[in-house]
Amino acid sequence: MRKNYRLAAIALLVCSALLLMGCPPKPGESLIKKGFASDFDGSRLQAAHFNDPLKAIATDGPVELWAARNETVQFAVQVNKVPLDSKKGSGAFRIGPLRSTDASLAPDVMNAFQVLPMPFDDNRAGFVRHTGLPVSTHELPRALLPMPLNKGELPVNAMRSPADPTNPQSRAGGAAFVLLWVDVAIPPTAKPGSYEARCELMEDGQVVSTLPVKLTVYDFVLPDERHLTMVGRVKWQSLCDLYPAQFEAVTPNLISRADPQYSNTVRTLDQIVKLAQAHRAIATFERLQPTVKWPGNKPQIDWTDYDALVSPWLNGDAFPDNVALGFWPLPKDHLLDKYAPAQQKAFWTATAARFNQMNWLSRSAAAIEKTGKGPVKPVEALLMSKDAAMVLASHPKLRVSVPLEADQVQIASANNNAGVDAGDLERLMPAAQGLIKSPAQGAPPMGPAWLRTDVPGLIPYVGAGADERESRLWAWLAFLRGARLIHWDSPLPTHTDPSSPADPDEMVWFYPGAWFGVNSPVPTVQLKWLRRAEQDYEYLWIARERRQFTHELVMANVLTKPVDIQPNQDPDPSYALMCGTSDAQRWSEAIKLLARLIQMSEPGANAEKTEDPVVLMELSNWIKSQDKPTLLGRSTLWGFGLAKGPGQNVVDLRLSVDIYNATDQLPNKNSLQWTGVPEGWQIPKAEPVSIPELRTYAVRSFDLEAKILLNRLNETMRDKPVDITFTNGYDGRTTLTRLMLPVAPCDKREVVAPKVDGSLEEWTAADALCDGKMIQMLNRPAVQRQELQFASTSSQLYSCWTNSAFYVGFRLEGVEATRTVGGGNVVREEMRRGWGEDLTELLIQPVYADGDPGPVIHMTCRPAGQMEASKQLDRRKNANPNAAVPAVNYAATLHEEMVTRTGKQKKENIWRGEVKIPWDSMSDPADEKHANQRPALLRFNFAQHRNATGESASWAGPIDFGGDEGFTGLLVVR
């Protein structure tokens, strides 16, 4: 018996040792939890896809690539259970040569990088709205450390541990996984056709896993010339902060290639410019300039050092492909704005003449900048137009870029001698209209437009740095808007410490090499996305050159989904949620379809266009899969007599629905109708509502009406969503959207009113407005999928009333521990949403028995007991329409309790709150007609923001922000 015990113990020790050897280290596990890569579930080698903003998704199966000649494509591989370095060179990742039946690509067409995680703080309202994901601090796959790929082989002992990415001594052996990135540069002379290769994982000299790679090379060549110029202007202060040894003590105009003391500075500038150019992008520097002296009214400019510095970039000598930079801004003396206009004009005359002499002027422009943030005001447009006119007049070939759209540019006339001369307009580069645009008001033709990603335009659009789709969207939008240049914000990170979490929307092109212990800048995944975006533009350009201009414009519209604002239509921030295409598969399909369209026509301006019916059918199906209209519930009007006369036993609802026509077709004879309503609702016989022809890429509002029978109030009216269906009159296709439009009774307490102490002891199920999950606020993927999303936590909401007051009680889960909030009762907002702390928002508007509404009341509560309440009075009767709500009583408690979440028990903080609002406090003091009257109805909504996850949800919805007074549910005071 003892022998058996001994053998069992030995076996247990051996098994434990083997298990420990095979277990990934805990730092790697933490990275998986933070979202750097997906959990291992498959082969040791898996294809990694960067379709998720937070992590690479690994899948089994082959890597499939499609590319034109002279194009660079990329793929990523997740290596799971990285081999241990039991002996030198024991583990390796290997890529075989790409071969077809009669051709092969040399090994030097591939370059390898290790994808390293960088910390990001996703606690941004824009991130939540744009991605629909919860906030957190994540390790995102962003940095690309160059790896030694010797004859297609990369040793494991050259890879770093993802848990210690900035340490050059760390090793990946034994890690749960590493991510590898491979660039494949297709030679312009490559033979079109299908190629295959294999990725292999070697362990102790043996192949332990393989991953096939399939490449299709198209029969056309991307040009060396960049038809879309992607420019990132490096801020000089960023260089000083991130490269202090090279820039902190340097005067920009004194930098000289001939002076050894500037050798490290010049080398860093060269590295940044070369790395950007290799990815079909351009990095410029805001303070580089010649030496300028002002002995009199005319400048004396010494170009010696400046010319020597920039000539290799602007002539192409610095680059292996000898392709010169397609754009370089005209340098500006940093003190120029202090001089008189005549002296400024003299400077621009001399500068333009020098650039013209060097044959650079056609690839340059002087920039008129906007000071301060926010939209351009009319007075600013006038001043910038005046400055642009002066600069244009300084040289007949000089171009000038302005941050003004074409209809904002002031044109010189008999009544306006400060505007731009009509004869100079072809040299003026206006800002192109963004994703959401208003119609240009008769602006004359001007020079090529440019897109600027660092200003909001009509509507802020976040997400450019979130994933590849968002980066590519700007290139397709540039093609749609006729822009030839995209200006990106500074391509260097804004923080100086690699351990500091960054903004996920930052478009960082490269990190300082010193962060990783290397001597050159480290490219980012985002820089690869920009290269993909520029190559997309070249596909569109070639398609247009081959007379496919109808097809590629339609495709650009379908992928970008712009919104055209009509005259007198207010730009709604929710429109940005309709733009773009969040489905990654659609992007992949688009570029393959575009390639097939290109190959339908032979090159040459006079070539005849041929039609392939199979390709055209696939294109039609691709368009049809995405051109469904988007519906948004915009406002609710509850009251008496809105539809067909008053009636105290019937409440009328007029629901306004926005319809976005995301199709290039103009459907007619469309309809909109209720297709699912709770019991007790009545729909007018006139349904469905006839919808007239819709303008392309425009948003229009239409009304649906319903009646709610008060004598049939039931739980389904508060718990069941309503279904609304749009039917396309062109092809009969339908689009369904769901909304929560709750109607609930608010009953009187006859004996004992609730105590406002935060205990909820006096509330019963009969008082319940909600007992379950509320509705998440709008986010872009849900809007585009027309999906009603429920909150991740349960809530209880109650209401009742007495002769003197209205009461609300609530119980909320998932709240952070209580803490003191600084800044008084001021609520921080991002993208119009309460942010940065746990909050609730109540919206209440009384409706009296005669159908007249009272003031809109907005109340914000915190778990620590702070409260803020205000009401909007009738502006016609009150000099100060914004008033406080007096005598409001609010109490809250916060206790840790066990809750069930996804089938598991866990402790969470539970926030209980109770609110008492006197009826008198709800009224408008100037409204004598309804003095001392209790309302018959309450337009009501309740919203919660959870700080831990960034999730916002409401009782009625979905809405875009808690203060949306136009969209509410209804309480019937009985």
Side-chain angles (χ1 to χ4, degrees), residues 390-524:
M390 179 268 293
V391 179
L392 287 166
S394 67
H395 193 281
K397 294 183 179 180
L398 174 59
R399 296 188 302 173
V400 176
S401 66
V402 291
L404 304 173
E405 294 183 8
D407 60 344
Q408 294 177 303
V409 175
Q410 302 296 306
I411 312 298
S413 65
N415 299 323
N416 179 18
N417 58 8
V420 178
D421 189 276
D424 293 333
L425 288 177
E426 65 179 10
R427 294 187 290 119
L428 187 71
M429 298 172 59
Q433 293 182 310
L435 279 166
I436 300 172
K437 70 178 183 71
S438 57
Q441 303 296 321
M446 298 181 186
W450 60 292
L451 275 176
R452 188 166 183 173
T453 63
D454 60 341
V455 293
L458 278 176
I459 297 295
Y461 183 82
V462 299
D467 59 36
E468 183 183 36
R469 300 182 296 278
E470 299 311 318
S471 304
R472 296 169 68 180
L473 178 143
W474 288 96
W476 289 71
L477 180 64
F479 185 81
L480 194 62
R481 299 290 190 240
R484 298 290 302 276
L485 184 148
I486 299 179
H487 177 92
W488 299 90
D489 207 1
S490 182
L492 287 173
T494 56
H495 57 288
T496 58
D497 183 351
S499 63
S500 299
D503 185 339
D505 200 39
E506 280 187 6
M507 198 67 186
V508 176
W509 297 12
F510 16 70
Y511 295 112
W515 284 10
F516 303 90
V518 296
N519 295 322
S520 58
V522 173
T524 67

Side-chain angles (χ1 to χ4, degrees), residues 643-644 674 682-688 704-707:
K644 293 183 178 180
W674 304 98
Q682 280 189 348
I683 307 304
K685 294 181 180 180
E687 285 286 305
L704 288 175
E705 294 183 348
K707 291 180 177 293

Side-chain angles (χ1 to χ4, degrees), residues 57 186 206 258 260 294 345 472 512 555 625 690 768 839 873:
I57 304 297
I186 312 301
Q206 302 295 318
W294 298 84
K345 183 177 180 180
R472 296 169 68 180
M555 294 179 71
S625 68
S690 178
L839 295 168
L873 306 178

Side-chain angles (χ1 to χ4, degrees), residues 38-202:
S38 58
D39 297 287
F40 168 57
D41 182 19
S43 305
R44 296 279 295 278
L45 287 183
Q46 294 180 293
H49 309 278
F50 288 76
N51 296 331
D52 188 296
L54 297 182
K55 62 183 179 182
I57 304 297
T59 61
D60 290 332
V63 171
E64 295 185 291
L65 304 172
W66 297 265
R69 289 177 284 163
N70 203 35
E71 178 180 358
T72 299
V73 290
Q74 62 268 335
F75 65 94
V77 178
Q78 182 169 307
V79 182
N80 299 302
K81 297 174 63 177
V82 182
L84 288 165
D85 296 324
S86 57
K87 58 182 180 179
K88 186 176 180 180
S90 64
F93 171 78
R94 188 165 64 190
I95 310 175
L98 285 157
R99 291 193 175 99
S100 68
T101 55
D102 56 354
S104 64
L105 300 180
D108 60 3
V109 303
M110 289 183 280
N111 290 301
F113 306 82
Q114 183 179 352
V115 187
L116 296 176
M118 300 299 290
F120 283 81
D121 181 6
D122 301 327
N123 192 5
R124 307 285 197 279
F127 176 84
V128 174
R129 287 179 79 247
H130 196 76
T131 66
L133 298 172
V135 302
S136 183
T137 298
H138 293 277
E139 300 278 357
L140 302 188
R142 287 295 183 265
L144 293 174
L145 187 69
M147 289 280 105
L149 195 62
N150 184 14
K151 296 182 179 179
E153 187 166 303
L154 171 61
V156 165
N157 58 22
M159 303 178 194
R160 295 191 185 181
S161 168
D164 196 8
T166 58
N167 180 7
Q169 305 306 317
S170 70
R171 292 294 177 264
F177 63 87
V178 296
L179 280 174
L180 299 178
W181 182 286
V182 180
D183 278 349
V184 184
I186 312 301
T189 57
K191 187 173 182 178
S194 299
Y195 294 75
E196 292 186 0
R198 284 200 314 174
C199 297
E200 298 175 334
L201 180 63
M202 310 291 295

Side-chain angles (χ1 to χ4, degrees), residues 591-780:
I591 204 69
K592 286 186 283 185
L593 276 170
L594 197 52
R596 296 178 68 183
L597 288 169
I598 290 171
Q599 293 176 110
M600 285 199 312
S601 303
E602 294 296 326
N606 297 320
E608 291 294 328
K609 185 175 70 172
T610 59
E611 303 286 358
D612 184 334
V614 175
V615 176
L616 295 181
M617 179 60 70
E618 291 180 8
L619 175 62
S620 177
N621 292 336
W622 178 83
I623 293 171
K624 188 176 291 186
S625 68
Q626 300 176 82
D627 66 0
K628 290 184 177 181
T630 302
L631 277 60
L632 279 182
R634 301 306 295 135
S635 64
T636 56
L637 183 59
W638 305 89
F640 299 118
L642 296 175
K644 293 183 178 180
Q648 293 301 304
N649 292 321
V650 176
V651 171
D652 298 305
L653 166 63
R654 183 175 297 141
L655 170 69
S656 179
V657 179
D658 275 357
I659 302 179
Y660 169 53
N661 176 28
T663 174
D664 199 45
Q665 298 168 338
L666 298 175
N668 202 358
K669 298 181 181 179
N670 313 292
S671 64
L672 186 70
Q673 64 185 121
W674 304 98
T675 51
V677 296
E679 180 186 351
W681 282 47
Q682 280 189 348
I683 307 304
K685 294 181 180 180
E687 285 286 305
V689 173
S690 178
I691 303 298
E693 185 175 278
L694 298 173
R695 286 182 59 93
T696 305
Y697 304 109
V699 179
R700 284 190 60 186
S701 294
F702 298 92
D703 292 340
L704 288 175
E705 294 183 348
K707 291 180 177 293
I708 290 82
L709 306 180
L710 299 187
N711 59 353
R712 296 180 61 184
L713 284 176
N714 56 76
E715 290 187 0
T716 65
M717 286 190 183
R718 73 173 200 203
D719 297 335
K720 180 181 177 180
V722 301
D723 292 349
I724 299 166
T725 299
F726 172 87
T727 302
N728 188 320
Y730 179 79
D731 54 18
R733 287 185 298 160
T734 59
T735 301
L736 171 69
T737 192
R738 285 184 167 166
L739 305 173
M740 189 63 74
L741 302 174
V743 180
C746 177
D747 290 335
K748 183 180 181 181
R749 286 291 181 90
E750 291 291 346
V751 181
V752 179
K755 293 180 181 179
V756 183
D757 56 8
S759 69
L760 300 184
E761 291 180 356
E762 295 85 14
W763 299 95
T764 68
D767 304 314
L769 306 179
C770 173
D771 187 7
K773 295 182 177 181
M774 295 193 294
I775 305 302
Q776 285 192 37
M777 289 190 188
L778 294 173
N779 65 72
R780 183 167 164 265

Side-chain angles (χ1 to χ4, degrees), residues 253 437 457 570 770 914:
N253 64 290
K437 70 178 183 71
D570 292 330
C770 173
E914 292 173 295

